[in-house]
Amino acid sequence: MKRFTTALAAVLAAATLTVAPVRAQQVTGAGSTFVYPVLAAWSDAYAKKTGVKINYQSIGSGGGIAQIKAGTVTFGASDMPLEPARLAEAGLIQFPLIIGAVVPVVNLPGIDTGKIRLSGKLLADIFLGTVKTWNDPALAALNPGLALPALPISVVHRSDGSGTTFNFVDYLAKVSPDWRAKIGVGTSVSWPAGVGGKGNEGVAAYVQRLKGSIGYVEYAYVLQNKIPYAVLENAAGSFVAPSARSFQEAAASADWSKAQDFDLVMTNAPGAGAYPITATVFILMHRQSKEPAQTKQALDFFRWALGQGQEVASKLDYVPLPEPLVAQIEAYWQASLH
Amino acid sequence: MASARARGDSIFGGLTLVATALVLVVLAGIALATLIGGWPAFARFGAGFVSHTVWDPVQRDFGALVPIYGTIVTAVLSLLLAVPIAFGIAIFLTEVAPRRLVGPISAAIELLAGIPSIIYGMWGLFVFVPFMADWVDPWLTASLGRLPVLGVLFSGPPLGLGMLTAGIILGIMVVPFVAAVMRDVFTLVPSALRESAFALGATRWEVVWGVVLPYTRTAVVGGIFLGLGRALGETMAVTFVLGNAHDFNLSLLAPSTSIAAAIANEFTEADSATYLSALIALGFILFVVTFIVLVFAKLLLLRLARQAGR
């Protein structure tokens, strides 16, 4: 029965995926939609340089995990890390590739971007539906001097399962015991309030059209669509705006050295200037590859991406990994790939 | 010679049988595949699967009542809107319009049927949703929302997204299908019947109500159910304007979700076997709902045919 379900899923996934036949000069990958723009730019630059083409299908993190487990691609990309036990079970290795962030965006007539302040707990209460209006006393206390409208709060969340959601609710669960107890953490959850938009673009479109709404999107969508965002209080107690610097500070202050297989979600990072919902995309590869040539090419590509490729990434508003972390990844490759 | 011709005939007959059997095999195959795929969910949640409103991927607890309710309510709303409009269009084209207008208008309606549903969805989200949020929803809440009992249907914040908006968009999408069927069958009414009625001094309305409709009602009902089938299964347009929320809410202004929209939204990232199975089970339920609608239509047609025979 279970086998049938997985077979059916595989057929349907294959229908949406249509992986091109693997050739010697082609490395295939699938997964996270978040990393797609930068992987596409990298692949372009890398192909011009070396002739090796990286064919990446952005089918979502869950799909990427399923595809790498099934062995139909050379690498998978996921917005959430797998536990070491699950990695070992599937014979996979995992490492972070690039940093991004999830940003709460709002539609409040008369209030400029970055003006409204939110604490993590308040953000959780809004998404739990317990804080219902923008002039709630709790919001007013955090925002003295800001004329908050008496609008009802419309919550906008993702309707599809997503790594963006995973990082967002992981943060909410870390800062709000209520959220952890009632909702929990996952790529999709049982939302107590609001409407669902499909994809980052769906959430962005809803937030831009619904007065008094609040949603969450990847940082790149905030820049592209110029949606007003809220600043967040981090673990150190300061209010930070999303920026390359605050993301990097979060990555630097997260304690990667103790995380086995880089199994670390760096939301609510401790650094003084750290942005609280900073996230990483993880690459998954087989420990023992059936196609060593492709695996080697993929590794060469990632080595290039983590080094020279960072310039391309910065242009697209992605944030490079801090150098000590890159060194740690190199050491991890040496130790775990055969 | 005669035997060769007879053989050709039997081969031809066989081929048509194969074509028909193929459809039945595919139909049974889809039903069976979704039933088997959804079986773990049915087995785990039992009959409660269709009456339970919780949809919690974290706890792996799934109930299908919200999508079932959203699917049926939006489809019914769409018919309430589409049937009178389609009826008006068909009457206009067959009874009222000057001949030179019939061609262009029919072409325009067929064009409406050819627009991809994602275009309706995007138009709905970018144009129609703000209109509903700024004008229609607040007005409905202020007027109908105050009524006792019925007021529940029009309560809540004016999001612009929700079952009413989805029902209206679906209605617009269904109109061309129902109108085309109605127009085609109205033109089949023998002109002798129509002219006799006019000769007896009947008005245009009396001719339509007393002659044209009774003559064509089985086909008209068939056309309506064709439209209903389309509304039940529509995915993209609904996903854009329904709000995709698994909350049970009686208000027509509240966001909800439909079976097709839930599957389209959640399939790619369904990360546990139970979740996947629950979505496939939803597919099976949609199959059953559509089947029930078709059977109901067939029975209705049979009854109408019997009444007409009397």
Side-chain angles (χ1 to χ4, degrees), chain B residues 202-213:
Chain B
T203 62
R204 224 167 231 165
W205 173 250
E206 283 166 341
V207 170
V208 168
W209 200 248
V211 177
V212 173
L213 257 191

Side-chain angles (χ1 to χ4, degrees), chain A residues 128-148:
Chain A
L128 278 169
T130 49
V131 170
K132 291 180 193 305
T133 56
W134 283 107
N135 57 357
D136 191 275
L139 273 161
L142 267 184
N143 296 281
L146 201 62
L148 290 163

Side-chain angles (χ1 to χ4, degrees), chain B residues 90-167:
Chain B
I91 295 295
F92 179 78
L93 287 179
T94 54
E95 307 289 333
V96 183
R99 185 150 293 195
R100 67 196 155 78
L101 273 185
V102 173
I105 294 178
S106 302
I109 291 166
E110 273 149 28
L111 203 61
L112 206 58
I115 296 174
S117 59
I118 189 156
I119 305 292
Y120 282 101
M122 289 170 72
W123 172 79
L125 177 60
F126 291 114
V127 181
F128 196 63
V129 166
F131 171 74
M132 291 291 286
D134 292 342
W135 300 97
V136 182
D137 286 5
W139 178 77
L140 281 175
T141 315
S143 54
L144 294 176
R146 295 217 187 130
L147 296 173
V149 188
L150 262 186
V152 174
L153 292 178
F154 302 99
S155 60
L159 286 173
L161 300 163
M163 288 189 273
L164 182 63
T165 310

Side-chain angles (χ1 to χ4, degrees), chain A residues 1 4-5 8-9 12 59-63 154 157 159-161 183-185 187-191 194-196 198 205-206 209-211, chain B residues 33 36-37 39-40 55-58 125-126 130 134 159 161 239-241 243-245 247 255 264-269 271 275-276 280:
Chain A
M1 204 79 39
F4 181 82
T5 323
L8 187 62
L12 286 163
I59 55 171
S61 299
S154 303
H157 52 72
S159 61
D160 48 339
I183 309 296
V185 178
T187 51
S188 47
V189 299
S190 171
W191 296 98
V195 298
K198 187 162 169 59
Y206 279 174
R209 262 146 208 93
L210 302 175
K211 276 191 201 85
Chain B
I36 294 172
W39 191 253
W55 187 267
D56 190 339
V58 179
L125 177 60
F126 291 114
D134 292 342
L159 286 173
L161 300 163
T239 302
F240 274 79
V241 297
N244 305 311
D247 303 326
N265 269 312
E266 297 173 40
F267 199 85
T268 45
E269 291 277 338
D271 52 4
Y275 196 176
L276 199 60
I280 298 172

